[in-house]
Amino acid sequence: MIKTKRFGEWYELTLPRDWDGFTIDYILRNIWRAPKKQIHLMRMENQVKVNGEWMNWNSPLKYMDRLQLRIFIDEDFGVIPFYKEVQILYEDDHLLVLNKPVHMDTHPNEDGQTNTLSNAVAFHLQSQGEYRKVKHVHRLDRDTTGAVLFAKHPLAGTVLDRMLEERIIKRTYVALVHGLVKTKKGIIKEPIGRDRHHATRRRVSPSGQQAVTHFELIKTYPKQNLSLIKCQLDTGRTHQIRVHLSYVGHPLAGDVLYGGKPIFDRQALHAAKLEFPHPFTMEKISCNAPLLEEEDNKSVMLANLLHVLPNN
């Protein structure tokens, strides 16, 4: 694990042995893969020092050198801070993982919207005296619950975006679907595109984007003709799990948009687990998102059926 410290606006990283000989430019471009614009800004604004001094970005660094980055810079939240009690699953100086409740958007979809998870994050940061632009690394549908990852500064956002794209961030969902699933494990590889006949609906389409969903059967409920499955994504297309499971004849319970019956007031989908190496320390982060209490009887029934959450 890489040793790190924070000093006000500055973040200090002690160079590990296997980075010996790397340059500042190499670390930013090839280790963290920051975009050229971001690297240029950091260079022009003198946001990088080594052992407390300015250094040529192409000079080799040594094992145990202290690489210092000015990355904790105040900026506008980008959304209106708004109080909403939320469950924090993990937080440090760089990132934040929250357990999103039902009936809440991940981010505002129109000017002035305040009842989203991003607004709640902004309020939480503001209450701690942190003024950061709120950035969600991925999102969940309004009626999907569970773990959502946020970056707390631009460099963290850059690294986490790349990790998500390269499938280094592992997302595990539990879903309750109609029908009794016959296979223990399977992979759905079908491209997903927009449905030109419906503004929000997606569909399997030969001209769509590549989408890969892995699923594993956890439990069946023969009396209710339902199955509980675990899903992991190789891609993150809009409505991916909902579209794929409907396509193979097992729509999510409650998901009327994709053929599910309205036995719940929402689709039975929960982002139960999020796993990834920390973008700077390389420490393994593993967040399990418990099901939050919901008020109506249908949701209590859903929670009872979704109670088997994956441990691995």
Side-chain angles (χ1 to χ4, degrees), residues 174-177 218-221 224 226-229 253 263-264 268 291 298-309:
V174 286
L176 197 64
V177 302
I218 299 175
K219 188 176 182 179
T220 57
Y221 299 95
Q224 295 94 343
L226 297 170
S227 298
L228 181 65
I229 63 173
I263 57 176
F264 308 116
L291 279 162
K298 285 184 177 181
S299 294
V300 171
M301 177 184 172
L302 171 60
N304 288 336
L305 293 174
L306 283 178
H307 74 284
V308 185
L309 297 182

Coordinates of all heavy atoms in Angstrom, one line a residue, residues 174-177 218-221 224 226-229 253 263-264 268 291 298-309:
V174 N -28.1 -7.3 -7.0 CA -29.1 -8.4 -6.8 C -30.4 -8.0 -7.5 O -30.8 -6.8 -7.4 CB -29.3 -8.8 -5.4 CG1 -28.1 -9.5 -4.8 CG2 -29.6 -7.6 -4.5
A175 N -31.0 -8.9 -8.2 CA -32.2 -8.6 -8.9 C -33.2 -9.8 -8.7 O -32.9 -10.9 -8.7 CB -31.9 -8.5 -10.4
L176 N -34.5 -9.4 -8.6 CA -35.6 -10.3 -8.5 C -36.3 -10.3 -9.8 O -36.8 -9.3 -10.2 CB -36.5 -9.9 -7.3 CG -37.5 -11.0 -6.8 CD1 -36.7 -12.1 -6.2 CD2 -38.4 -10.3 -5.8
V177 N -36.3 -11.5 -10.5 CA -36.9 -11.5 -11.8 C -38.1 -12.5 -11.9 O -38.2 -13.4 -11.1 CB -35.8 -11.9 -12.9 CG1 -34.7 -11.0 -12.8 CG2 -35.3 -13.4 -12.6
I218 N -29.1 -17.2 -7.4 CA -29.0 -17.4 -6.0 C -30.1 -18.2 -5.3 O -29.8 -19.1 -4.6 CB -29.0 -16.0 -5.3 CG1 -27.8 -15.1 -5.8 CG2 -28.9 -16.1 -3.8 CD1 -27.9 -13.7 -5.3
K219 N -31.3 -18.0 -5.7 CA -32.4 -18.6 -5.1 C -33.7 -18.5 -6.0 O -33.8 -17.5 -6.7 CB -32.7 -18.0 -3.7 CG -33.7 -18.7 -2.8 CD -33.8 -18.0 -1.5 CE -34.8 -18.7 -0.6 NZ -34.9 -18.0 0.8
T220 N -34.5 -19.5 -5.9 CA -35.8 -19.4 -6.6 C -37.0 -19.4 -5.6 O -36.9 -20.0 -4.5 CB -36.0 -20.6 -7.6 OG1 -35.9 -21.8 -6.9 CG2 -35.0 -20.6 -8.7
Y221 N -38.1 -18.8 -6.0 CA -39.3 -18.7 -5.2 C -40.4 -19.3 -6.1 O -41.1 -18.6 -6.7 CB -39.6 -17.3 -4.8 CG -38.6 -16.6 -4.0 CD1 -37.6 -15.8 -4.6 CD2 -38.6 -16.8 -2.6 CE1 -36.6 -15.2 -3.8 CE2 -37.6 -16.2 -1.8 CZ -36.6 -15.4 -2.4 OH -35.7 -14.7 -1.7
Q224 N -44.1 -18.0 -5.9 CA -44.3 -16.6 -6.6 C -43.8 -16.6 -8.0 O -43.9 -15.6 -8.7 CB -43.5 -15.6 -5.8 CG -44.0 -15.4 -4.3 CD -43.2 -16.2 -3.3 OE1 -42.6 -17.2 -3.7 NE2 -43.3 -15.9 -2.1
L226 N -40.7 -16.5 -9.1 CA -39.7 -15.5 -9.1 C -38.3 -16.2 -8.8 O -38.2 -17.2 -8.2 CB -39.9 -14.4 -8.0 CG -41.2 -13.6 -8.1 CD1 -41.4 -12.8 -6.8 CD2 -41.1 -12.7 -9.3
S227 N -37.2 -15.5 -9.3 CA -35.9 -15.9 -9.1 C -35.0 -14.8 -8.6 O -35.2 -13.6 -9.1 CB -35.2 -16.5 -10.4 OG -36.0 -17.6 -10.8
L228 N -34.2 -15.0 -7.6 CA -33.2 -14.0 -7.2 C -31.9 -14.3 -7.8 O -31.3 -15.4 -7.7 CB -33.1 -14.1 -5.6 CG -32.1 -13.1 -5.0 CD1 -32.6 -11.7 -5.2 CD2 -32.0 -13.4 -3.5
I229 N -31.3 -13.3 -8.5 CA -30.0 -13.5 -9.2 C -29.0 -12.5 -8.8 O -29.4 -11.4 -8.3 CB -30.2 -13.6 -10.7 CG1 -30.7 -12.3 -11.2 CG2 -31.1 -14.7 -11.2 CD1 -30.7 -12.2 -12.8
A253 N -39.0 -8.0 -11.6 CA -40.3 -7.8 -11.0 C -40.5 -6.3 -10.7 O -39.5 -5.6 -10.2 CB -40.3 -8.6 -9.7
I263 N -45.9 -5.9 -9.2 CA -46.1 -6.4 -7.9 C -45.3 -5.6 -6.8 O -45.6 -5.7 -5.6 CB -45.6 -7.9 -7.8 CG1 -44.1 -8.1 -8.2 CG2 -46.5 -8.8 -8.7 CD1 -43.6 -9.5 -8.1
F264 N -44.4 -4.7 -7.3 CA -43.7 -3.8 -6.4 C -43.9 -2.4 -7.0 O -44.3 -2.3 -8.2 CB -42.2 -4.1 -6.2 CG -42.0 -5.5 -5.8 CD1 -41.3 -6.4 -6.6 CD2 -42.4 -6.0 -4.6 CE1 -41.0 -7.7 -6.3 CE2 -42.2 -7.3 -4.2 CZ -41.5 -8.2 -5.0
A268 N -37.2 -4.4 -9.1 CA -36.5 -5.1 -8.0 C -35.0 -5.2 -8.3 O -34.5 -6.3 -8.6 CB -37.2 -6.4 -7.7
L291 N -29.9 -3.2 2.3 CA -31.2 -2.6 1.8 C -31.7 -1.7 2.9 O -31.8 -2.0 4.1 CB -32.2 -3.8 1.6 CG -32.1 -4.5 0.3 CD1 -32.8 -5.8 0.4 CD2 -32.6 -3.7 -0.9
K298 N -45.5 -3.0 -0.1 CA -44.9 -3.7 -1.3 C -43.4 -3.7 -1.2 O -42.8 -4.7 -1.5 CB -45.4 -3.0 -2.6 CG -46.8 -3.3 -3.0 CD -47.1 -2.7 -4.3 CE -48.5 -3.0 -4.8 NZ -48.8 -2.4 -6.1
S299 N -42.8 -2.6 -0.7 CA -41.4 -2.5 -0.6 C -40.9 -3.4 0.6 O -39.8 -3.9 0.5 CB -40.9 -1.1 -0.4 OG -41.2 -0.3 -1.5
V300 N -41.6 -3.5 1.6 CA -41.2 -4.5 2.7 C -41.2 -5.9 2.2 O -40.3 -6.6 2.5 CB -42.2 -4.4 3.9 CG1 -42.0 -5.4 4.9 CG2 -42.1 -3.0 4.5
M301 N -42.1 -6.2 1.4 CA -42.1 -7.6 0.7 C -40.9 -7.7 -0.2 O -40.2 -8.8 -0.1 CB -43.4 -7.8 -0.1 CG -43.5 -9.1 -0.8 SD -45.0 -9.1 -1.9 CE -44.7 -10.7 -2.8
L302 N -40.6 -6.7 -0.9 CA -39.4 -6.7 -1.8 C -38.2 -6.9 -1.0 O -37.3 -7.8 -1.3 CB -39.3 -5.5 -2.6 CG -38.0 -5.2 -3.4 CD1 -37.8 -6.4 -4.4 CD2 -38.1 -3.9 -4.1
A303 N -38.0 -6.2 0.1 CA -36.8 -6.3 1.0 C -36.7 -7.7 1.5 O -35.6 -8.3 1.6 CB -36.9 -5.3 2.1
N304 N -37.8 -8.3 1.9 CA -37.8 -9.7 2.4 C -37.3 -10.7 1.4 O -36.6 -11.6 1.7 CB -39.2 -10.1 2.9 CG -39.6 -9.4 4.2 OD1 -38.7 -9.0 4.9 ND2 -40.9 -9.3 4.4
L305 N -37.7 -10.5 0.1 CA -37.3 -11.4 -1.0 C -35.8 -11.1 -1.4 O -35.1 -12.0 -1.9 CB -38.2 -11.2 -2.2 CG -39.6 -11.7 -2.0 CD1 -40.5 -11.3 -3.2 CD2 -39.7 -13.2 -1.7
L306 N -35.3 -9.9 -1.2 CA -34.0 -9.5 -1.6 C -33.0 -9.7 -0.5 O -31.8 -9.2 -0.6 CB -33.9 -8.1 -2.2 CG -34.5 -7.8 -3.6 CD1 -34.4 -6.3 -3.9 CD2 -33.7 -8.6 -4.6
H307 N -33.4 -10.3 0.6 CA -32.5 -10.3 1.8 C -31.2 -11.0 1.6 O -30.3 -10.8 2.4 CB -33.3 -10.8 3.0 CG -33.4 -12.3 3.0 ND1 -34.3 -13.0 2.1 CD2 -32.8 -13.3 3.6 CE1 -34.2 -14.3 2.3 NE2 -33.3 -14.5 3.2
V308 N -31.1 -11.9 0.7 CA -29.9 -12.7 0.5 C -28.9 -11.8 -0.4 O -28.9 -11.8 -1.6 CB -30.1 -14.0 -0.2 CG1 -28.8 -14.9 -0.3 CG2 -31.2 -14.8 0.5
L309 N -28.0 -11.1 0.3 CA -27.1 -10.3 -0.4 C -25.7 -11.0 -0.6 O -25.3 -11.8 0.3 CB -26.8 -9.0 0.4 CG -28.0 -8.1 0.5 CD1 -27.6 -6.8 1.3 CD2 -28.6 -7.7 -0.8

